[in-house]
Amino acid sequence: MGKYKAKIGLEMHCEISETKTKVFSSAKNEYSDEANSNIRPVDMAFPGVLPVVNKEAVRMALMASMALNCKQPEYMYFERKNYYYPDLPKGYQLTQETKPIPVGIYGEVTFECEGEEKKVRINNLHLEEDAASLDHYDDFSTIDYNRAGVPLLELVTEPDISSAAEAVAFLEHMRSVYQYLGISEADSKKGQVRCDVNVSIMDANLDENDPQNWGTKIEVKNVNSFGGVRDAINYEIKRQTKLKENNEYANMEQQTRRWDEESGTTIYMRSKVDAIDYKYFVEPNIPKFKLSKKWLDEIKSSLPRLAYKRKKDYIEKYNLSDYDASILVKQKDISDYFEKTVSLGCDAKQVANWTNGMILSYLNSAEMSINDFFLKPEMLKQLIDLINSKTISTKQGKEVFAKVLEKEKSPEEIVKSEGMMQITDTSEIDTIIDEVINENPSQVAAYDPERPKILDYFIGQIMKKTRGKANPSVASKLMKEKLDKIKQA
Ligand code: ADP
Ligand code: MG
């Protein structure tokens, strides 16, 4: 261990992308459309218009709160966070302060980082609205209100993270949680995830459970990609370590800095003493409302199993390897496909092999979602059954797979129409063996049971006659028996 250890806390903002409409207006929740096409007067702060809370957004936020093991509120209300910026037409953002409970407090998340189990405590989770988006050009700027009012979930962790790798693993875990809950794509490339990263360092030999021993918190604002989070943390740890070595750390004030993607550095914005006072107060146009126990229970019982749990199940119940299980749960659609096929009565290991092998490589090279994939779980079961019943060989199975996708017909139809059925019927193979023996007297004479190498020649002849359809293990067994008998006679 080095001389210092890092304490890292994240504020992760993630848009809820799966509601139909915005969080306080009936405009469509979709901002990739033409600029300023999905807007209602309330999104532009026209006078006299009133916000209406989107129940679906609250439900999704509560799902997240439950999935993070947070405590949920009994009543909910919103607050105005007052500040001016051109992307904020109202002059305030509707959000929730942490008192008494926003959509959740005091949760805990377990995730994996480099094969180790980690825990991060959640300080709180709250629901708010996104701002409009600004684009800056040489001598003018444009504003698009489509994003104004898009529901945003902000998650605040305790500073339980200790490295850049751990922070990224946590964010990847959270992306998976939101995707599995069906509340957000959580795609940072689409600008749906933005983070503020808080970093400090402390002496490694001190007790990290005592906040008195923590270093000075440096907040890095607006980090918009997971790679940015990693780089910003590593940059700050290095920068702060240098300050420590130069005895410049102890008297440092809390600061807000911003991440500059281009230079890969953090740049000083303001000191905590200049912190903005947002003058929070309760939004008077949204009455405080009660969340019924019945509704909360309904939401709780609707929570899907998340990736972390599914992976554990796959390893424990199905004996899959850690590696196979990890690949299966990476995307919920793939995991659902796997589970559906297994539920039809297939062997989990076989399904995992097909899914992680042929299917994923096909989907990747075709850049296709499994939802658009022609070979549905029912067909994968057919294919596996055809192989298990030895109607076709494993090798033929791969050909059938390709033909199913090419001709858009079921595996059974393909096997029939292509005449791919293996011959396993022993009497049929027997007849062919007799023909081969009659036609090859010198090879029969050369056969030596101690050195059955010449058997390959006979199998070759059988395959020729059946155009490859004889089941090789059945053919080889029968052929050997017959030849041995001839030799004994
Ligand atoms: P503020 O009141 O300045 O917003 P909070 O206590 O709400 O500060 O913390 C904001 C974020 O900073 C949280 O994610 C928290 O975990 C993190 N944090 C707090 N103290 C430290 C510290 N000493 N080092 C690193 N992160 C910290
Ligand atoms: Mg705070």
Side-chain angles (χ1 to χ4, degrees):
M1 199 197 285
K3 263 162 81 182
Y4 311 116
K5 59 185 165 196
K7 293 240 120 218
I8 300 159
L10 297 174
E11 295 163 80
M12 176 192 190
H13 300 82
C14 180
E15 284 170 353
I16 296 179
S17 59
E18 301 305 308
T19 59
K20 285 205 181 67
T21 56
K22 294 182 180 176
V23 58
F24 301 114
S25 93
S26 58
K28 236 167 76 183
N29 174 13
E30 176 66 72
Y31 60 84
S32 55
D33 289 352
E34 189 194 344
N36 295 308
S37 59
N38 295 328
I39 47 180
R40 303 289 300 157
V42 69
D43 303 321
M44 302 183 67
F46 281 22
V49 289
L50 297 171
V52 177
V53 179
N54 179 346
K55 188 173 176 184
E56 219 17 41
V58 175
R59 189 182 68 83
M60 289 181 177
L62 287 166
M63 282 176 92
S65 166
M66 291 167 184
L68 300 176
N69 307 299
C70 287
K71 185 170 153 52
Q72 287 78 47
E74 217 186 319
Y75 290 92
M76 242 169 86
Y77 58 90
F78 291 88
E79 282 158 300
R80 291 188 184 182
K81 179 178 179 177
N82 298 285
Y83 66 96
Y84 174 76
Y85 203 70
D87 65 5
L88 193 72
K90 293 196 290 280
Y92 57 83
Q93 178 193 31
L94 282 183
T95 179
Q96 301 182 293
E97 255 222 293
T98 54
K99 287 159 274 171
I101 304 182
V103 282
I105 52 168
Y106 308 147
E108 187 176 73
V109 176
T110 307
F111 63 104
E112 234 173 68
C113 176
E114 292 162 353
E116 261 183 77
E117 197 162 273
K118 302 277 177 189
K119 281 188 197 306
V120 168
R121 288 168 300 151
I122 303 300
N123 177 283
N124 78 85
L125 182 73
H126 56 270
L127 180 61
E128 55 190 29
E129 58 181 342
D130 209 344
S133 46
L134 290 168
D135 277 305
H136 303 290
Y137 300 90
D138 279 350
D139 51 3
F140 68 100
S141 297
T142 59
I143 183 158
D144 178 4
Y145 289 99
N146 283 354
R147 203 180 70 183
V150 163
L152 202 59
L153 256 185
E154 177 174 348
L155 176 160
V156 182
T157 77
E158 295 296 340
D160 294 344
I161 296 167
S162 60
S163 71
E166 223 177 287
V168 171
F170 173 80
L171 292 171
E172 283 171 348
H173 175 84
M174 284 310 308
R175 175 172 60 197
S176 154
V177 169
Y178 289 158
Q179 287 172 349
Y180 269 78
L181 292 175
I183 70 177
S184 180
E185 299 165 274
D187 187 347
S188 55
K189 282 193 218 82
K190 292 188 181 166
Q192 291 171 338
V193 181
R194 274 112 55 191
C195 293
D196 298 337
V197 183
N198 301 274
V199 187
S200 66
I201 55 172
M202 61 178 283
D203 293 330
N205 56 1
L206 296 178
D207 175 12
E208 66 176 309
N209 294 315
D210 182 355
Q212 297 247 336
N213 293 329
W214 297 355
T216 309
K217 186 187 84 169
I218 301 294
E219 179 185 33
V220 184
K221 283 227 171 276
N222 283 324
V223 195
N224 295 338
S225 69
F226 292 3
V229 168
R230 180 196 59 220
D231 296 345
I233 291 172
N234 285 332
Y235 178 83
E236 269 306 307
I237 292 176
K238 236 193 227 155
R239 191 183 69 83
Q240 294 178 25
T241 302
K242 205 182 265 167
L243 289 173
K244 217 92 171 172
E245 311 268 72
N246 295 341
N247 288 321
E248 290 167 336
Y249 191 85
N251 300 321
M252 193 176 62
E253 282 173 337
Q254 285 191 16
Q255 289 172 16
T256 300
R257 302 175 72 88
R258 93 184 147 76
W259 173 241
D260 185 60
E261 189 82 53
E262 232 152 83
S263 62
T265 62
T266 64
I267 296 168
Y268 179 87
M269 282 171 78
R270 57 179 179 256
S271 149
K272 193 76 189 174
V273 284
D274 308 317
I276 305 163
D277 180 356
Y278 294 110
K279 305 256 192 262
Y280 282 94
F281 65 88
V282 174
E283 163 62 44
N285 293 323
I286 299 175
K288 174 168 158 179
F289 55 95
K290 190 174 161 70
L291 304 177
S292 74
K293 180 157 184 321
K294 184 166 161 274
W295 194 47
L296 289 173
D297 288 345
E298 267 170 35
I299 297 172
K300 193 156 236 165
S301 61
S302 76
L303 290 185
R305 274 158 63 246
L306 302 181
Y308 196 77
K309 173 81 174 68
R310 291 194 194 202
K311 183 180 158 185
K312 276 201 159 145
D313 288 350
Y314 296 173
I315 294 172
E316 281 162 20
K317 271 206 243 156
Y318 301 143
N319 251 325
L320 298 189
S321 67
D322 191 280
Y323 178 78
D324 276 340
S326 304
I327 296 180
L328 285 172
V329 302
K330 220 167 201 159
Q331 290 167 265
K332 178 169 183 285
D333 296 342
I334 302 285
S335 166
D336 286 344
Y337 181 94
F338 165 77
E339 292 193 1
K340 179 80 206 289
T341 315
V342 173
S343 78
L344 297 174
C346 291
D347 173 63
K349 183 78 192 149
Q350 271 182 306
V351 180
N353 287 345
W354 277 98
T355 311
N356 288 348
M358 299 291 280
I359 295 177
L360 275 182
S361 77
Y362 176 86
L363 294 175
N364 284 340
S365 63
E367 291 184 27
M368 183 191 275
S369 148
I370 198 154
N371 298 314
D372 303 323
F373 188 49
F374 179 77
L375 200 138
K376 301 287 177 226
E378 291 74 15
M379 290 193 200
L380 180 56
K381 176 173 162 40
Q382 269 186 16
L383 184 53
I384 290 174
D385 287 348
L386 285 165
I387 295 170
N388 290 349
S389 67
K390 301 218 155 58
T391 310
I392 55 173
S393 66
T394 311
K395 188 161 158 270
Q396 282 176 311
K398 291 186 177 161
E399 284 168 44
V400 172
F401 176 86
K403 288 240 160 75
V404 164
L405 297 173
E406 183 193 316
K407 308 213 156 157
E408 306 220 322
K409 283 190 182 152
S410 74
E412 281 173 1
E413 287 172 312
I414 293 290
V415 166
K416 248 182 232 149
S417 66
E418 305 282 318
M420 288 171 99
M421 228 89 76
Q422 273 195 122
I423 304 170
T424 44
D425 178 358
T426 49
S427 67
E428 199 173 328
I429 294 177
D430 244 9
T431 318
I432 295 161
I433 288 177
D434 288 343
E435 279 176 36
V436 171
I437 288 175
N438 286 335
E439 288 163 14
N440 298 280
S442 61
Q443 281 82 357
V444 172
Y447 176 74
D448 174 359
E450 300 301 312
R451 283 190 322 211
K453 192 85 194 64
I454 201 165
L455 205 55
D456 290 346
Y457 169 79
F458 291 107
I459 303 300
Q461 294 301 306
I462 296 169
M463 287 303 175
K464 215 164 164 186
K465 282 183 180 288
T466 59
R467 282 185 288 124
K469 284 188 284 180
N471 179 303
S473 63
V474 175
S476 146
K477 185 166 164 279
L478 289 180
M479 187 80 221
K480 184 165 185 338
E481 278 170 15
K482 246 198 192 148
L483 287 169
D484 287 350
K485 220 182 246 167
I486 292 173
K487 281 284 141 176
Q488 276 164 20

